[in-house]
Amino acid sequence: MAAALRVSCSPVAARGSAKPSPLDPAICQPTAVGLSCWKRRACGPLFARRRCVAERSKEDPPVPVLAETEDEKTQPDGDAEVSVSSAAVIDNREEEEEAEGTEEEEQPQTRLTYNIVFVTAEAAPYSKTGGLGDVCGSLPIALATRGHRVMVVSPRYLNGDSDKNFANAVDVGRRIKIPCFGGEQEVTFFHEYRAGVDWVFVDHFCYHRDGNPYGDRYGAFGDNQFRFTLLCYAACEAPLVLPLGGYIYGQNCLFLVNDWHASLVPVLLGAKYRPYGVYKDARSILVIHNLAHQGVEAATTYQNLGLPSEWYGALEWVFPPWARTHALDKGEAVNILKGAIVTADRIVTVSQGYSWEITTVEGGHGLNELLSSRKSVLNGITNGIDVDDWDPASDKFIPFHYSIDDLSGKAQCKAALQKELGLAIRPDCPLIGFIGRLDYQKGTDLIKLALPELLQDDIQFIMLGSGDPDTEDWMRSAESTYREKFRGWVGFNVSISHRITAGCDILLMPSRFEPCGLNQLYAMRYGTVPVVHCTGGLRDTVEDFHPFAEEGSGQGSGWTFSPLSKDSMLGALTMAIETFREHKSSWEGLMKRGMSRDFTWDSAAAQYEQIFEWVFVDPPYVG
Ligand SMILES: Nc1ncnc2c1ncn2[C@@H]1O[C@H](COP(=O)(O)OP(=O)(O)O[C@H]2O[C@H](CO)[C@@H](O)[C@H](O)[C@H]2O)[C@@H](O)[C@H]1O
Ligand SMILES: OC[C@H]1O[C@H](O[C@H]2[C@H](O)[C@@H](O)[C@@H](O[C@H]3[C@H](O)[C@@H](O)[C@@H](O)O[C@@H]3CO)O[C@@H]2CO)[C@H](O)[C@@H](O)[C@@H]1O
């Protein structure tokens, strides 16, 4: 294994470390099962030492590595700075757990709990360009609350603006050298323990630059393959080398790898760890948030990834002839996401509808046959939402609060939004919103096509988004053309996104495809009625309005339209607008049914736990 990765400690840690490398097979003993009992509340803050022996299998051997750091801290001749470093890592854990309540206060727990390692390019509030950030900022907390030990590994993006997001993360004092891209890259780790989760940030200068996690105003960064390769290698090492709260996670963990950026993890487990007896009992689950992004690069880049040549097939990708650029182009490429589809032990998508769509030619982005071949391990789980961040009764970004029992604050939010945007303050005028990345996926071209006709009606429309420069330009020009009725807010702004969600009457989502979609869930929670293309997670979560169902009291929380065409979208919008204008009690029913839906992460987390149990039933992928 040492040949695969050379791990070294930081100067501080190294001085105090007469210990073998955590990758030394002598101390990386596999435990009997990939499961552990983490009854965090019941077991107390230094949870690893207080594992619930009663619930552990007798065969479950001790985890020797865990004792190493503890020894480090207590040995009289130990290095003082190492102690400081370790202590810094556990610093707020005891306080936080004390504040949460006494050890007697049991929270709902699952019987089996796991050491879970999320790997992701985004995790809110540290980094976010869209829904991936939301999910990887919330689901880990929901799982930790249910008793799992959870680490999230993502890059430490610094660019001036974002630096404050990482202000509470401290240097763990561990350095590793990663053999890839023709050299050795040194990365370090930062850590913050918050909301029961170990947030781990991989630090390397390639994450320190202007722009968002993937690119800047000139487009996607040219070295994204390098940046996310580093992330994957670092994430594979993190459970082995980081003494978080004094104790490493160890090698019997469960990796949840999100989208293409994290997709080398299961490949590395198979190609670079298991052959050396490490991670033999670990498992990996690929979570697909968006099949459109696959991390495809020229085949020649394979040699940069530091993988054995015989693993090329896992990533091999051949573009169909129509997608090749010239007659001699053989279309040979590597596809990082494909690597995970082949090697992950299970696959989850973020709604059931999408899990089926990606097995079809229409929704499979070229991977449908491969995904179909993995149907037996493919599931869909609809995302939850952070119901604390997104709560109209307490939202810090909106000027007035409201609830299902008293909707008056919503009307005030609408008036405030109209005022903020310089639109006429008119309670009776339907206010329609759109929030999202300006991307082909989101169907903004349809809005562009339909806007002149839509604005013939007496309505107001606000669009918030950033991304495709042409669409941004169009939003600016539409705002000047339709000054009385249309606002195009170009940029990424969380605060205004909450005010639009609260202040609008209708949220429009004409997505071409939508793996789950979060904005329609936020909208419903805020009594804003969604009008959506009938696809993926939108189809699964928005129930069509039926005014006469339920003995006349009505049914449904919005409108879905199909096909994806201007006329069909305008038809659905017209029905929504008419209902808003002419049928006030029906409208209130729509709002209240949406507001009463349960979108908490807890129910999604319970479904993930079922997958966790299944993934440990089958043997892991070994190649
Ligand atoms: N300009 C802006 N300013 C402020 N906030 C903005 C914004 N543009 C977008 N957002 C925010 O970004 C998030 C977007 O989430 P979505 O799930 O709707 O789409 P996204 O395609 O990014 O996510 C992908 O991953 C998620 C998570 O799995 C899936 O739900 C989804 O279908 C899939 O495409 C929301 O929180 C939204 O408010
Ligand atoms: O949370 C929002 C989405 O974030 C991710 O999508 C990003 C994607 O993974 C990146 O690769 C990049 O996509 C660029 C693409 O690689 C490039 O070929 C070109 O088409 O431009 C794209 C945009 O720059 O940025 C995406 C975000 O915009 C995540 O994978 C998705 O699930 C999330 O929806």
Side-chain angles (χ1 to χ4, degrees):
M1 183 61 231
L5 259 192
R6 196 155 70 73
V7 177
S8 68
C9 297
S10 71
V12 171
R15 275 202 304 280
S17 169
K19 316 273 180 266
S21 154
L23 285 180
D24 182 338
I27 52 170
C28 289
Q29 300 286 340
T31 55
V33 285
L35 320 173
S36 61
C37 166
W38 295 106
K39 299 202 81 178
R40 175 161 294 203
R41 292 276 167 69
C43 296
L46 288 176
F47 38 86
R49 268 182 302 160
R50 302 187 200 172
R51 286 176 75 189
C52 302
V53 178
E55 295 200 21
R56 276 177 53 200
S57 149
K58 286 225 171 64
E59 285 74 47
D60 188 2
V63 186
V65 185
L66 301 185
E68 292 295 315
T69 315
E70 185 60 17
D71 289 343
E72 225 169 48
K73 280 191 277 175
T74 51
Q75 278 184 9
D77 56 350
D79 188 302
E81 285 176 272
V82 173
S83 303
V84 170
S85 166
S86 298
V89 176
I90 59 168
D91 55 6
N92 59 348
R93 194 173 305 243
E94 294 197 44
E95 283 163 32
E96 189 170 316
E97 302 221 352
E98 265 167 32
E100 279 171 4
T102 64
E103 293 191 353
E104 282 71 45
E105 282 174 29
E106 280 282 329
Q107 293 292 309
Q109 300 263 339
T110 50
R111 196 175 62 80
L112 298 175
T113 56
Y114 303 86
N115 283 1
I116 299 169
V117 181
F118 278 78
V119 189
T120 176
E122 298 179 34
Y126 307 100
S127 51
K128 165 174 163 174
T129 73
L132 175 64
D134 284 348
V135 172
C136 291
S138 310
L139 176 58
I141 296 173
L143 289 168
T145 306
R146 295 172 68 86
H148 304 282
R149 192 181 185 202
V150 186
M151 172 197 313
V152 180
V153 185
S154 65
R156 184 168 175 260
Y157 302 110
L158 300 183
N159 62 21
D161 289 346
S162 63
D163 300 10
K164 60 182 181 312
N165 301 346
F166 300 93
N168 296 328
V170 297
D171 190 338
V172 184
R174 288 286 189 274
R175 288 168 202 284
I176 60 169
K177 286 195 164 49
I178 294 172
C180 65
F181 285 78
E184 279 191 333
Q185 312 295 331
E186 187 171 271
V187 305
T188 57
F189 297 91
F190 283 66
H191 171 246
E192 177 182 357
Y193 181 72
R194 181 182 61 79
V197 172
D198 289 305
W199 303 92
V200 170
F201 305 107
V202 180
D203 197 46
H204 185 272
F205 63 82
C206 70
Y207 304 129
H208 305 172
R209 60 174 67 150
D210 286 345
N212 73 27
Y214 315 108
D216 58 17
R217 62 184 185 284
Y218 303 110
F221 295 133
D223 59 349
N224 278 343
Q225 190 193 55
F226 169 72
R227 297 166 76 236
F228 295 116
T229 297
L230 282 192
L231 172 67
C232 293
Y233 270 98
C236 287
E237 285 299 296
L240 304 178
V241 304
L242 300 183
L244 304 176
Y247 300 92
I248 65 161
Y249 273 55
Q251 57 171 310
N252 294 319
C253 50
L254 171 59
F255 287 93
L256 258 67
V257 305
N258 295 274
D259 277 354
W260 77 264
H261 328 97
S263 285
L264 274 186
V265 168
V267 182
L268 292 171
L269 297 181
K272 305 214 45 148
Y273 287 87
R274 290 199 178 112
Y276 300 90
V278 181
Y279 282 134
K280 284 205 314 260
D281 294 310
R283 298 290 190 280
S284 62
I285 299 175
L286 168 66
V287 184
I288 300 178
H289 300 262
N290 194 333
L291 196 63
H293 302 296
Q294 301 177 1
V296 178
E297 299 278 353
T300 49
T301 63
Y302 182 80
Q303 65 195 13
N304 295 332
L305 305 177
L307 291 168
S309 56
E310 62 271 24
W311 279 74
Y312 179 74
L315 274 65
E316 183 178 18
W317 183 246
V318 182
F319 282 107
W322 60 263
R324 300 179 195 171
T325 50
H326 51 80
L328 297 178
D329 181 355
K330 294 188 186 141
E332 290 168 356
V334 287
N335 182 326
I336 307 281
L337 183 70
K338 182 207 153 187
I341 295 173
V342 170
T343 59
D345 298 308
R346 292 196 75 94
I347 302 168
V348 171
T349 67
V350 290
S351 69
Q352 282 194 19
Y354 193 61
S355 75
W356 170 76
E357 284 177 9
I358 61 175
T359 63
T360 67
V361 176
E362 294 81 2
H365 297 270
L367 287 165
N368 43 296
E369 283 181 15
L370 179 62
L371 284 159
S372 296
S373 75
R374 301 228 63 202
K375 255 185 189 162
S376 61
V377 293
L378 172 63
N379 296 94
I381 299 176
T382 303
N383 287 329
I385 61 173
D386 186 325
V387 291
D388 296 325
D389 272 3
W390 291 90
D391 182 356
S394 58
D395 187 327
K396 66 180 181 211
F397 297 116
I398 65 176
F400 301 95
H401 292 135
Y402 58 96
S403 68
I404 195 164
D405 300 318
D406 177 6
L407 290 167
S408 56
K410 180 155 176 74
Q412 292 174 295
C413 285
K414 176 173 176 177
L417 180 65
Q418 288 169 322
K419 183 168 179 214
E420 178 179 357
L421 300 174
L423 292 167
I425 301 175
R426 291 181 52 206
D428 55 323
C429 179
L431 179 54
I432 303 173
F434 168 91
I435 301 167
R437 293 178 300 107
L438 303 178
D439 186 284
Y440 177 77
Q441 172 190 351
K442 300 296 175 182
T444 47
D445 50 329
L446 208 60
I447 299 181
K448 187 174 165 185
L449 194 66
L451 199 71
E453 201 170 324
L454 182 61
L455 291 186
Q456 283 172 19
D457 200 345
D458 181 22
I459 61 131
Q460 296 170 340
F461 198 118
I462 160 77
M463 268 182 89
L464 167 67
S466 60
D468 171 51
D470 290 343
T471 310
E472 290 184 352
D473 287 346
W474 167 77
M475 279 165 61
R476 292 188 189 98
S477 82
E479 178 166 309
S480 57
T481 311
Y482 304 105
R483 194 69 210 154
E484 303 300 308
K485 295 183 167 187
F486 180 85
R487 289 292 175 274
W489 186 302
V490 175
F492 191 90
N493 189 314
V494 171
S495 155
I496 183 71
S497 78
H498 283 242
R499 291 199 290 285
I500 291 172
T501 305
C504 284
D505 301 300
I506 296 166
L507 187 88
L508 178 62
M509 291 182 74
S511 307
R512 245 181 204 86
F513 64 94
E514 197 59 81
C516 176
L518 297 175
N519 286 317
Q520 83 281 10
L521 305 182
Y522 300 145
M524 285 189 268
R525 184 155 165 79
Y526 280 64
T528 301
V529 176
V531 174
V532 304
H533 177 217
C534 189
T535 183
L538 299 176
R539 186 207 314 253
D540 289 2
T541 56
V542 177
E543 191 189 1
D544 269 312
F545 175 53
H546 289 295
F548 307 117
E550 301 291 330
E551 297 174 346
S553 58
Q555 191 181 44
S557 57
W559 280 266
T560 66
F561 62 87
S562 183
L564 185 71
S565 68
K566 182 185 84 163
D567 288 343
S568 131
M569 181 178 86
L570 285 174
L573 279 172
T574 303
M575 282 194 282
I577 290 165
E578 288 303 305
T579 309
F580 171 83
R581 284 198 188 114
E582 310 294 338
H583 305 279
K584 295 289 179 201
S585 69
S586 286
W587 192 259
E588 197 173 303
L590 272 159
M591 291 168 73
K592 288 188 169 174
R593 283 191 293 277
M595 291 177 87
S596 60
R597 297 274 297 271
D598 175 13
F599 296 124
T600 55
W601 265 113
D602 208 42
S603 73
Q607 294 173 60
Y608 271 91
E609 282 166 348
Q610 174 64 78
I611 308 287
F612 300 165
E613 289 188 25
W614 288 339
V615 78
F616 279 101
V617 170
D618 296 323
Y621 185 88
V622 286

